[in-house]
Amino acid sequence: MISAVIVLCSLMLFAVAVFTLWWMLHAWRTPETLAATKFADPDGTGALSFSLLVPARHEQAVLERTVLRLLESTHPDFEVIVIVGHDDPDTAEVAHRLAALHPEQVFVVTDTHEKKNKPKALNSALPTCRGDVVGVFDAEDQVHPDLLSHVDHAFRDTAADVVQGGVQLINFHSSWYSLRNCLEYFFWFRSRLHLHAAKGFIPLGGNTVFVRTDRLRANDGWDQNCLAEDCDLGVRLSSQGAKVVVAYDSAMVTKEETPDSVVSLFKQRTRWNQGFLQVYRKRDWRSLPSLRQRLLARYTLATPFVQAFSGLLILVGVAVALFSSVPDVVALISFSPLIPMVAMFAFEAVGLHDFGKQYQLTIKPSHYLKLIIGGPFYQLILAGAAIRAVWRELRGRKDWELTRHVGAHLGVEAGTAS
Amino acid sequence: MATVVATVLDEERPDPISEPAATDPRGRLSQLLATRPDLVITALLVVAVVLVQGLNIDNFPTVSDDEGTYLAQAWAIQHGKGLAHYSYWYDHPPLGWVQIAALSWIPALIWHGPLVVMHARVIMLPVSAAGTALTYLVGRRINLPRWAAALAAVVFGLSPLSVTMQREIYLDNFAAVWMLAAFACALSPRRHLWHHIAAGLCAAVSVLSKETMLITAPALVMAVWRGTDKATRKFSLVGFFIAFSTIGAQYLLYAVLKGELFPGAGHNSLIGALQYQLGRGGSGNILKAGSVSNMTLHWWLVRDPLLIYAGTAAALAALAVRRLREIGVAAVLLVAVAMRPNGYLPAMYVIQVIPFFALAIAGMADTGVRGLLRLRFGVLGRLDWLGLGRWRLGPRDLVAVLAIALAGVVAPQWEAGDETADTAYSNNEYVAAADWIRANIPDPAHQRIVVDDAMWLDTVRDGFQPGLGAIWFYKVDLDPAVTRTLPHGWQDLDYVVLTSIIRQDPNGLPTVRAAIAHSTTVATFGTGQQQITIQKVDHTGSGQ
């Protein structure tokens, strides 16, 4: 009996780990796949107009630099709409000053909602957008001047409804968890999202995402009550059959920073996971046309929880196999989930090497060591966040947790890396 | 660059070629030949090899004790007795006979021959079939034209040496096929990460089937390097190594879980077995007349001198040809290890070399033909100096003449060898002995009979108790678990089936010797080397 349970659990864990690994490595499957993840070179003619939304909250320190950098964009036709809260005079002051300096291109929208969150801010600005395409950036994003031209080209070249650009956390050296966090983004935007785009089911990232304005308006913008409004939008659009294109180019990714402490990482993950749960329960994904897409949707939205619990289960399984007497074959099988796990570590090390090369960062042996040793601890944080998310959801606590603390924090609610 | 982000699933368009157009069967076959020529060629080659190897497979060559050993161990797995019927002592990794066990339902479907080992040989036919197809595939993947890839497959499957060795239930046959599969995956034209991971898996299975296949690993790594693209190589190489090592590590893990990694009192161990194998007495210098290795080499040369000589030469030459280099390296490494002055060289070692020899020969033949076709004969080709004014000799004619001449040399040699294989009866004595035991020894459940490995399964089938009733002859003296059950030594034994394997045993085995000395011959089969006698132990006698 105990043997049967061990074998069943081990094989399930093995399958889960192999799937996760396989999807994580999507971009490197063949040289052709890798080549196809890039932006095509633009043809120089801009045909679309862009409205770039920059929600800013207590971000007076970084906002100006971000907007000025956006204004350096080589694209001929775009506007920047900064969204500030009515209760945030410092940021509003910076925004209004920028609008006065660039009256043709920079506009300010004031969000007057009593309780604030990012989807509410974005929805406040949606009616004023004049462009064909709405793009979302965070207040501390560094955006490449050529990005818009490339995105413009991608829209026209592929008849896309949505273009998701790359987002990359870059401060891998800040701490042990930021190293893992950076790599998570690397694998997510460099590889996994492309698979989702190809399969027709994609949870979008929170920024560097571009959507045709009419599509957005037809959907009444973002879901104000969802903690992962970006993911939700992606799921809704995929379910409507929208064509989503993902492009990654290390020269043109939007660079960001990791959460500033383990606690904020933990809270951020709780929010994402809770958001994923909400999206799962909204059931928009059920209108996806094929069973495979629906399975992928189920699995993707449940991934944070599967990952959290499989980590724990592996430990339990190995302990049971070592300390209880089961037949040799059963013991051997109980170790099988370790195979994809070891493989995962090895591929992460290769990913770290690749990451260093693409962003011209020096990766030292100590970083590889940190990556490996940090793995289980990072997994623990994720598992904790997943459990806490379930707990909060059950208790009906659906508020955004980051209200007062930080401004730099808001930036990182970006990707939906899981 | 128009490759943006293409993310839509291509809509499948109806393929006009695959539409069933003609109903005429001849039309369909020629259509298949036109669209999938490699498939048709492979199928024909496989059929030819299976026919030649399958004909008379039970009667030639003589059953060997190794076949009996592996089959008995597979029998132990099938019957849930663990990795061996006596205690498993890490002589070889067990995956080889795990595969034998997985295939051993096949013979029962076909016929129940007189000797278990003989009729179990049928399971080697799918193995040979896979090897033939994979040799062709690897040939194509190192850019051989179809004729040359087919030549490689023919050499692999039809050389008299192959026909003899690939019929036998040897672990090496499984290992060689898995290594061919690893090369085929490594050189896959799609350069898919999954294929490179699969190459690592296949290589691990190969080495866990027969550990000596590890010798070719450097060549396989070269093949993976060549088969990968610069952009994705890092990931492919890591995938390959991880697959290879994590699967290989399962063997270590097994030993650890059993508490049998390190040597210690009262149990077998992986490291202990390794020490034994490394310290095992060599079989002498292969080039020195009279050494055991040299006799083994001679035995191979008797079966097919052409394969050995041409294969060695082609392997060395292949090192200089870029597309054949990995094949050349694999073959040369295997040859170099065989030539170690004091290494141990088992007779079936050659099985691992055959596929690489076959590919090297075919590759060099293709290189030669390409060179010849580039020649310009000029005046010489006009032949009017021979009085043949109207004839012109072109490079193609020269190739044709050479091909016919070579076929003329090889064909009779192979024909003779393969005919022997397909007509000789080498196991009559064993069959007769097994029949006699079945008919003449009453109450087998309470008799103790000493047999060699080749006959063990037959005695078990006839009702002797596996392990302690039917006893592998060397376990009598070498396995404490068996010796413990023989308090009166030779007097506790009832019969000894004396075969050439027991007569040649180098271990001495005092109890077995004593039992033979205190016995009378009750039946004799055959003469000379192959003679088998059945000795009834005389419990009261004082010996002769």
Side-chain angles (χ1 to χ4, degrees):
Chain A
M1 179 58 197
I2 188 161
S3 293
V5 173
I6 292 176
V7 168
L8 198 72
C9 287
S10 307
L11 293 181
M12 259 165 46
L13 286 173
F14 180 81
V16 165
V18 167
F19 266 114
T20 311
L21 186 64
W22 191 231
W23 288 342
M24 169 179 135
L25 296 172
H26 170 84
W28 296 278
R29 291 200 300 189
T30 67
E32 291 77 20
T33 325
L34 189 66
T37 58
K38 284 201 171 141
F39 275 117
D41 286 335
D43 46 12
T45 63
L48 298 170
S49 54
F50 285 83
S51 296
L52 307 179
L53 305 186
V54 185
R57 186 154 182 77
H58 304 298
E59 272 161 322
Q60 59 275 18
V62 287
L63 180 63
E64 180 166 7
R65 204 184 57 198
T66 305
V67 172
L68 290 179
R69 175 112 168 148
L70 276 176
L71 291 175
E72 284 170 22
S73 179
T74 54
H75 192 274
D77 190 0
F78 68 95
E79 57 176 2
V80 178
I81 303 177
V82 183
I83 307 148
V84 295
H86 71 284
D87 54 354
D88 181 9
D90 295 341
T91 316
E93 191 260 309
V94 178
H96 284 293
R97 182 158 42 82
L98 285 164
L101 282 172
H102 305 275
E104 299 296 310
Q105 274 190 294
V106 180
F107 304 91
V108 181
V109 168
T110 305
D111 173 17
T112 53
H113 286 95
E114 199 49 48
K115 281 186 117 181
K116 297 216 164 31
N117 68 22
K118 189 174 169 188
K120 284 178 186 165
L122 293 173
N123 283 339
S124 312
L126 187 56
T128 68
C129 291
R130 287 176 301 167
D132 304 316
V133 170
V134 172
V136 179
F137 291 103
D138 289 330
E140 90 293 14
D141 284 351
Q142 297 176 41
V143 181
H144 193 280
D146 290 333
L147 178 67
L148 290 186
S149 312
H150 282 80
V151 171
D152 187 327
H153 181 70
F155 265 112
R156 286 177 291 119
D157 202 38
T158 61
D161 298 303
V162 181
V163 172
Q164 169 75 61
V167 180
Q168 183 61 59
L169 303 181
I170 216 75
N171 57 325
F172 74 102
H173 51 269
S174 302
S175 76
W176 67 272
Y177 70 86
S178 58
L179 178 74
R180 288 218 140 247
N181 209 183
C182 288
L183 261 187
E184 234 181 336
Y185 269 65
F186 182 71
F187 278 107
W188 185 258
F189 282 97
R190 180 92 195 76
S191 178
R192 174 79 183 258
L193 271 187
H194 297 275
L195 172 122
H196 281 292
K199 302 278 181 210
F201 167 80
I202 183 167
L204 292 172
N207 72 43
T208 323
V209 60
F210 300 87
V211 187
R212 288 207 182 253
T213 314
D214 44 357
R215 272 275 183 183
L216 210 45
R217 291 205 170 112
N219 274 288
D220 297 327
W222 291 265
D223 180 350
Q224 309 198 149
N225 300 315
C226 183
L227 289 174
E229 86 293 342
D230 42 9
C231 166
D232 171 68
L233 182 68
V235 173
R236 274 192 288 150
L237 290 175
S238 318
S239 307
Q240 294 159 16
K243 181 168 177 197
V244 182
V245 151
V246 178
Y248 186 96
D249 193 328
S250 56
M252 243 165 291
V253 297
T254 298
K255 295 180 183 170
E256 297 188 340
E257 290 185 341
T258 59
D260 56 358
S261 70
V262 172
V263 174
S264 45
L265 174 73
F266 183 69
K267 287 189 170 173
Q268 179 202 43
R269 283 315 155 105
T270 308
R271 182 163 53 78
W272 287 3
N273 292 344
Q274 219 178 330
F276 269 55
L277 269 182
Q278 290 169 355
V279 176
Y280 186 87
R281 284 161 52 156
K282 279 179 74 180
R283 292 171 159 243
D284 287 313
W285 52 269
R286 290 189 57 133
S287 52
L288 285 163
S290 81
L291 177 68
R292 290 181 69 153
Q293 285 172 314
R294 289 192 295 273
L295 282 176
L296 181 64
R298 263 177 197 272
Y299 184 84
T300 306
L301 295 174
T303 297
F305 310 99
V306 174
Q307 265 187 357
F309 296 118
S310 61
L312 298 174
L313 214 54
I314 284 177
L315 291 181
V316 174
V318 168
V320 168
L322 278 179
F323 298 113
S324 70
S325 59
V326 291
D328 301 332
V329 179
V330 175
L332 272 181
I333 291 175
S334 76
F335 278 86
S336 62
L338 286 178
I339 296 176
M341 265 178 63
V342 169
M344 183 97 67
F345 278 137
F347 281 117
E348 278 172 351
V350 186
L352 182 58
H353 184 261
D354 224 36
F355 170 75
K357 270 189 99 163
Q358 285 188 33
Y359 294 97
Q360 283 100 44
L361 302 166
T362 320
I363 311 284
K364 294 184 205 135
S366 60
H367 292 124
Y368 290 102
L369 204 65
K370 260 188 212 168
L371 179 79
I372 306 294
I373 296 174
F377 298 99
Y378 197 72
Q379 202 63 35
L380 270 180
I381 296 178
L382 299 191
I387 293 166
R388 183 154 173 268
V390 175
W391 180 249
R392 281 175 63 89
E393 191 65 18
L394 287 176
R395 305 272 309 256
R397 296 188 56 185
K398 297 178 185 178
D399 53 319
W400 280 47
E401 264 199 298
L402 31 101
T403 29
R404 289 306 131 190
H405 308 277
V406 252
H409 204 154
L410 247 159
V412 203
E413 65 203 42
T416 46
S418 58
Chain B
M1 255 177 74
T3 49
V4 195
V5 284
T7 42
V8 227
L9 285 168
D10 280 357
E11 213 173 284
E12 284 230 4
R13 275 192 212 152
D15 184 359
I17 303 170
S18 65
E19 293 284 299
T23 44
D24 175 25
R26 248 191 330 176
R28 237 184 260 156
L29 187 69
S30 60
Q31 211 170 39
L32 193 63
L33 191 61
T35 51
R36 313 283 305 273
D38 287 311
L39 193 70
V40 176
I41 296 171
T42 308
L44 292 174
L45 288 166
V46 166
V47 168
V49 168
V50 167
L51 277 179
V52 174
Q53 296 202 1
L55 203 65
N56 200 38
I57 191 170
D58 49 341
N59 290 311
F60 184 89
T62 315
V63 291
S64 80
D65 55 339
D66 284 310
E67 291 181 273
T69 308
Y70 305 139
L71 206 57
Q73 284 165 335
W75 173 92
I77 288 179
Q78 272 180 295
H79 291 79
K81 294 176 189 295
L83 290 180
H85 48 317
Y86 294 100
S87 66
Y88 172 58
W89 66 283
Y90 299 89
D91 48 345
H92 298 295
L95 211 49
W97 60 87
V98 170
Q99 294 170 70
I100 296 176
L103 289 175
S104 50
W105 52 274
I106 296 177
L109 288 183
I110 303 172
W111 91 106
H112 297 274
L115 204 67
V116 175
V117 172
M118 283 164 63
H119 87 255
R121 277 186 183 164
V122 176
I123 65 176
M124 299 314 290
L125 289 177
V127 179
S128 290
T132 306
L134 283 166
T135 305
Y136 184 85
L137 183 62
V138 173
R140 294 292 287 152
R141 290 190 167 172
I142 52 172
N143 299 325
L144 297 189
R146 293 201 173 89
W147 70 264
L151 175 65
V154 165
V155 175
F156 170 82
L158 294 182
S159 149
L161 189 57
S162 312
V163 173
T164 310
M165 301 301 276
Q166 289 170 5
R167 284 174 168 187
E168 295 191 75
I169 306 168
Y170 285 145
L171 306 179
D172 306 66
N173 282 317
F174 290 89
V177 168
W178 282 107
M179 193 46 88
L180 278 170
F183 271 86
C185 289
L187 296 168
S188 150
R190 283 181 59 203
R191 299 177 295 183
H192 200 297
L193 175 60
W194 173 239
H195 296 179
H196 302 129
I197 292 175
L201 288 175
C202 290
V205 174
S206 173
V207 172
L208 287 182
S209 301
K210 182 73 187 253
E211 65 280 11
T212 40
M213 210 69 222
L214 189 62
I215 297 165
T216 57
L220 180 61
V221 175
M222 287 170 66
V224 176
W225 186 277
R226 173 151 72 122
T228 46
D229 187 85
K230 202 168 163 249
T232 50
R233 181 168 293 146
K234 252 187 301 193
F235 284 84
S236 287
L237 280 174
V238 166
F240 168 78
F241 279 115
I242 282 289
F244 181 73
S245 53
T246 50
I247 300 302
Q250 301 299 305
Y251 188 41
L252 283 179
L253 182 61
Y254 174 82
V256 171
L257 286 174
K258 298 269 286 178
E260 295 181 341
L261 181 61
F262 297 104
H267 66 83
N268 296 318
S269 75
L270 176 57
I271 289 176
L274 217 60
Q275 286 167 345
Y276 166 78
Q277 295 283 15
L278 291 174
R280 194 165 173 170
S283 41
N285 189 337
I286 194 169
L287 298 178
K288 199 167 148 200
S291 71
V292 178
S293 293
N294 188 256
M295 274 153 59
T296 305
L297 174 65
H298 266 282
W299 190 86
W300 297 341
L301 287 171
V302 168
R303 297 303 304 160
D304 190 359
L306 283 162
L307 178 64
I308 301 290
Y309 290 131
T312 311
L316 285 169
L319 294 179
V321 183
R322 211 177 137 71
R323 67 198 165 114
L324 304 177
R325 194 160 294 148
E326 291 80 11
I327 300 300
V329 169
V332 167
L333 282 173
L334 285 163
V335 170
V337 169
M339 309 242 324
R340 280 171 314 152
N342 219 356
Y344 174 68
L345 186 67
M348 57 284 228
Y349 182 84
V350 75
I351 291 172
Q352 305 179 11
V353 198
I354 289 175
F356 298 106
F357 274 1
L359 285 163
I361 289 170
M364 289 316 296
D366 176 46
T367 308
V369 167
R370 286 185 195 198
L372 285 176
L373 288 180
R374 246 181 269 125
L375 287 181
R376 303 209 167 274
F377 291 99
V379 193
L380 265 177
R382 291 212 4 259
L383 297 185
D384 33 11
W385 52 278
L386 279 172
L388 297 165
R390 286 170 49 217
W391 294 78
R392 287 182 57 88
L393 182 67
R396 282 172 171 281
D397 304 302
L398 186 64
V399 169
V401 169
L402 279 174
I404 292 168
L406 270 173
V409 174
V410 177
Q413 164 89 23
W414 277 21
E415 206 274 326
D418 287 348
E419 197 189 327
T420 312
D422 285 352
T423 53
Y425 283 81
S426 306
N427 288 320
N428 288 349
E429 292 82 8
Y430 267 104
V431 173
D435 287 343
W436 188 92
I437 292 169
R438 198 169 306 129
N440 295 297
I441 298 185
D443 189 21
H446 298 99
Q447 303 281 350
R448 310 190 85 172
I449 189 165
V450 175
V451 290
D452 67 21
D453 306 30
M455 279 193 81
W456 187 82
L457 280 169
D458 299 279
T459 42
V460 169
R461 192 179 62 172
D462 293 342
F464 292 90
Q465 290 300 313
L468 297 175
I471 312 175
W472 271 358
F473 66 97
Y474 50 87
K475 296 287 179 187
V476 170
D477 285 296
L478 299 181
D479 188 340
V482 177
T483 313
R484 221 176 293 134
T485 66
L486 304 168
H488 307 105
W490 62 268
Q491 285 173 314
D492 289 327
L493 300 172
D494 300 308
Y495 289 92
V496 178
V497 181
L498 192 54
T499 61
S500 66
I501 297 165
I502 301 184
R503 278 196 297 271
Q504 288 162 13
D505 180 70
N507 287 317
L509 303 178
T511 314
V512 178
R513 296 275 157 246
I516 294 169
H518 295 87
S519 67
T520 47
T521 304
V522 288
T524 305
F525 308 96
T527 53
Q529 262 286 305
Q530 298 305 318
Q531 189 183 59
I532 298 179
T533 62
I534 300 191
Q535 306 291 130
K536 187 169 179 8
V537 180
D538 184 1
H539 293 158
T540 55
S542 52
Q544 296 108 22

